[in-house]
């Protein structure tokens, strides 16, 4: 009798053990069912575990950079008075040949290589002659070039936007020399004077010729080339960039 009772108890224990095991195996049936194929909006099948959607963590950091930061850090370099330049961007004022304000505010941007070599040229001018540089114009965004053309649609004075100015590539700069007191050296004509007297080969006095020669010969050492008709205009010749529409922000 005792043997039968023991067998019965053993059977009951085994049965309860099996039932408990089945319960543990089926504890998470819903998770298994929800790991199934679904179709995205494009009709492409993809595996999706809906149970853990809320637990998904995106470990990829944001890599987007604002336009102004990206341009400053990568595509353009700004030159300021802190770099030792006198900034007098005429198209940010009405003091230019159009008598109208073209730029919203005065900021001088150039391509990095251009800015770096202009800094080198300025350092040589200071060391050899005690001169510095006054900047009249730097990068001219294509929208500003269009605005300039709308005011003066004459290819003799303004480069057509369809052709594109070297200024709109960030490769050109308009400038002059200033002495230790900040006074402009005599170059024979003012900036943006459209007459034969502004031509580089015009027979000016020896003093004017010397001033122009110092400016031109120094800039040429650092990759800049001038043009015959404008003593103030120089373009960097050792690299190439496309026209650019970016317009800088104004802090005013």
């Amino acid at each position: 009798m005792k043997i039968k009772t023991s067998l019965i108890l053993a059977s009951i224990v085994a049965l309860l053990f099996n039932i408990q095991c089945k319960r543990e195996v089926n504890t998470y049936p819903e998770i298994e069912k929800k790991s199934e194929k679904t179709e995205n909006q494009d009709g492409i099948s993809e595996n999706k575990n809906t149970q853990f959607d809320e637990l998904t963590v995106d470990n990829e950091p944001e890599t987007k950079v604002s336009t102004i930061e990206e341009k400053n850090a990568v595509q353009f370099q700004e030159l300021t008075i802190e770099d030792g330049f006198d900034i007098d961007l005429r198209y940010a004022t009405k003091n230019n040949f159009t008598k109208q304000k073209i730029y919203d505010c005065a900021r001088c941007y150039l391509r990095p290589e251009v800015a770096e070599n202009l800094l080198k040229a300025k350092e040589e001018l200071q060391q050899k002659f005690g001169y510095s540089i006054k900047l009249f114009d730097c990068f001219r965004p294509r929208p500003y070039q269009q605005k300039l053309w709308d005011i003066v649609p004459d290819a003799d004075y303004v480069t057509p936007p369809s052709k594109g100015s070297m200024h709109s590539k960030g490769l050109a700069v308009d400038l002059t020399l200033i002495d230790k007191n900040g006074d402009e050296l005599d170059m024979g004509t003012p900036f943006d004077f459209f007459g034969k007297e502004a031509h580089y080969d015009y027979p000016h006095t020896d003093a004017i010729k010397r001033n122009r020669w110092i400016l031109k010969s120094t800039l040429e050492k650092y990759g800049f080339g001038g043009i015959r008709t404008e003593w103030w205009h120089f373009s960097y010749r050792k690299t190439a960039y496309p026209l650019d529409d970016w317009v800088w922000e104004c802090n005013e």
Side-chain angles (χ1 to χ4, degrees):
M1 188 67 177
K2 289 182 179 180
I3 296 174
K4 287 184 179 181
T5 301
S6 299
L7 290 174
I8 291 172
L9 291 173
S11 298
I12 291 173
V13 171
L15 179 60
L16 292 173
F17 180 80
N18 288 335
I19 291 172
Q20 182 63 27
C21 290
K22 288 181 179 180
R23 286 179 177 176
E24 291 178 357
V25 169
N26 295 321
T27 300
Y28 306 106
E30 293 183 359
I31 294 178
E32 294 179 358
K33 289 180 181 179
K34 289 188 177 182
S35 293
E36 57 187 7
K37 285 188 176 181
T38 59
E39 287 191 352
N40 60 21
Q41 294 179 352
D42 297 325
I44 300 174
S45 295
E46 59 184 53
N47 289 322
K48 184 177 182 181
N49 192 332
T50 57
Q51 183 71 17
F52 295 106
D53 279 355
E54 295 182 358
L55 300 178
T56 300
V57 177
D58 185 0
N59 292 320
E60 295 184 4
E62 288 288 338
T63 56
K64 292 183 179 179
V65 182
S66 66
T67 300
I68 185 71
E69 291 174 347
E70 181 181 357
K71 294 288 183 178
N72 280 344
V74 181
Q75 299 186 38
F76 289 95
Q77 179 176 331
E78 183 175 14
L79 296 177
T80 69
I81 57 175
E82 294 179 356
D83 297 307
F85 293 98
D86 187 349
I87 309 295
D88 183 18
L89 298 191
R90 296 293 181 83
Y91 296 121
T93 72
K94 292 184 179 181
N95 183 22
N96 61 70
F97 77 102
T98 70
K99 305 303 179 184
Q100 298 187 45
K101 184 178 179 180
I102 307 299
Y103 301 167
D104 294 329
C105 61
R107 300 187 72 174
C108 174
Y109 284 93
L110 293 169
R111 299 294 183 177
E113 306 96 312
V114 185
E116 290 169 9
N117 280 281
L118 190 59
L119 282 165
K120 292 177 182 178
K122 178 184 66 66
E123 290 173 1
E124 180 172 326
L125 288 165
Q126 289 176 330
Q127 292 174 2
K128 286 188 175 181
F129 308 100
Y131 298 152
S132 190
I133 290 176
K134 175 181 283 191
L135 297 170
F136 293 127
D137 198 17
C138 305
F139 167 58
R140 185 187 305 154
R142 209 159 34 172
Y144 287 147
Q145 183 71 21
Q146 182 65 55
K147 186 176 180 179
L148 192 60
W149 176 260
D150 291 341
I151 297 172
V152 186
D154 188 335
D156 289 337
Y157 301 99
V158 179
T159 303
S162 57
K163 178 181 178 182
S165 167
M166 292 293 282
H167 281 288
S168 297
K169 297 179 179 181
L171 297 174
V173 61
D174 295 338
L175 46 76
T176 192
L177 296 176
I178 55 176
D179 61 22
K180 62 182 180 180
N181 297 318
D183 297 323
E184 296 180 22
L185 272 62
D186 188 358
M187 294 293 183
T189 75
F191 164 66
D192 263 2
F193 178 87
F194 299 107
K196 60 183 181 180
E197 291 85 357
H199 295 189
Y200 187 81
D201 56 0
Y202 187 82
H204 283 290
T205 64
D206 289 342
I208 292 173
K209 289 180 180 178
R210 176 183 179 274
N211 293 339
R212 290 187 178 188
W213 174 81
I214 291 174
L215 178 63
K216 183 174 182 288
S217 61
T218 303
L219 288 174
E220 285 177 344
K221 289 182 183 179
Y222 296 96
F224 294 88
I227 58 176
R228 185 183 65 84
T229 57
E230 299 177 359
W231 60 260
W232 57 83
H233 178 92
F234 291 87
S235 298
Y236 190 69
R237 305 292 177 82
K238 293 187 176 182
T239 189
Y241 282 92
L243 300 170
D244 203 299
D245 293 332
W246 172 68
V247 176
W248 56 80
E249 293 182 354
C250 293
N251 298 323
E252 299 174 353

